[in-house]
Amino acid sequence: MDDLADFDETDLKIVEQLRRNGRATHQQIAKAIDIAPTTVSARLRRMEESGTLRVVAVSDFAVHGYHVLIYIGIEVTGRAPGDVAEELAQFEEVFAAYLVTGRYEVSVLLALPNIEDLSQFVAKKFSRVAGIRSITQSIGLDIIKFGLDSVEDAQ
């Protein structure tokens, strides 16, 4: 299978079942579309090996106990932004740290259990990182999209 056009109706039904429930077992998929579980397994393996199907896990922050996402733009002085980002990335609360262009040199995504944890994080950890001149915080109110639309986006 070199192309999505090579998918047959059964392949498309399997993919549709995975879109509905990414955690569905081969047995559940097989039952839903009335084929053998071994057929589901073989077809999924073939699609993955050919590169026409890739399963990507997307985690729900709240399931892991993180109910607050905070985006922080950081202006750096007296230290390389990469060094600041590397140090911030060591904190458990930092989900992602990026070097960026524009007003801020570093952008950080914090994942915290509660908003009350923010002041403790800033006072006990963030404030000890040398080179931070200023920060601007934005609290994430809702996640509208988290993931990739296509394989091309991931490459």
Side-chain angles (χ1 to χ4, degrees):
M1 291 175 46
D2 298 324
D3 188 80
L4 289 178
D6 293 333
F7 274 30
D8 65 17
E9 187 176 331
T10 301
D11 293 330
L12 293 172
K13 287 179 180 179
I14 290 169
V15 171
E16 180 58 32
Q17 290 301 309
L18 285 173
R19 284 186 175 162
R20 289 183 182 165
N21 178 4
R23 296 180 184 207
T25 66
H26 295 178
Q27 290 79 11
Q28 291 169 325
I29 295 169
K31 184 177 181 182
I33 62 176
D34 197 29
I35 62 173
T38 54
T39 302
V40 172
S41 179
R43 284 175 177 257
L44 284 172
R45 185 173 39 258
R46 180 177 42 111
M47 287 185 271
E48 288 175 352
E49 288 172 357
S50 71
T52 55
L53 175 73
R54 179 170 35 171
V55 177
V56 178
V58 177
S59 185
D60 180 348
F61 289 97
V63 168
H64 299 286
Y66 299 103
H67 301 283
V68 179
L69 295 178
I70 301 170
Y71 303 89
I72 300 178
I74 302 166
E75 292 181 279
V76 177
T77 188
R79 190 170 177 206
D83 292 342
V84 172
E86 287 285 336
E87 188 172 342
L88 290 168
Q90 300 306 308
F91 296 132
E92 178 183 333
E93 299 87 349
V94 174
F95 182 77
Y98 310 93
L99 294 177
V100 295
T101 61
R103 177 179 175 189
Y104 306 106
E105 291 88 6
V106 177
S107 180
V108 171
L109 173 59
L110 294 180
L112 300 170
N114 302 295
I115 192 66
E116 294 79 19
D117 298 320
L118 178 60
S119 62
Q120 288 295 314
F121 175 79
V122 171
K124 292 185 177 179
K125 293 184 178 180
F126 212 83
S127 65
R128 294 185 179 163
V129 177
I132 296 176
R133 181 174 65 211
S134 71
I135 64 172
T136 300
Q137 307 170 67
S138 299
I139 297 173
L141 301 176
D142 195 7
I143 297 174
I144 305 303
K145 178 182 177 184
F146 184 77
L148 301 172
D149 284 337
S150 68
V151 173
E152 292 81 36
D153 291 341
Q155 297 175 349

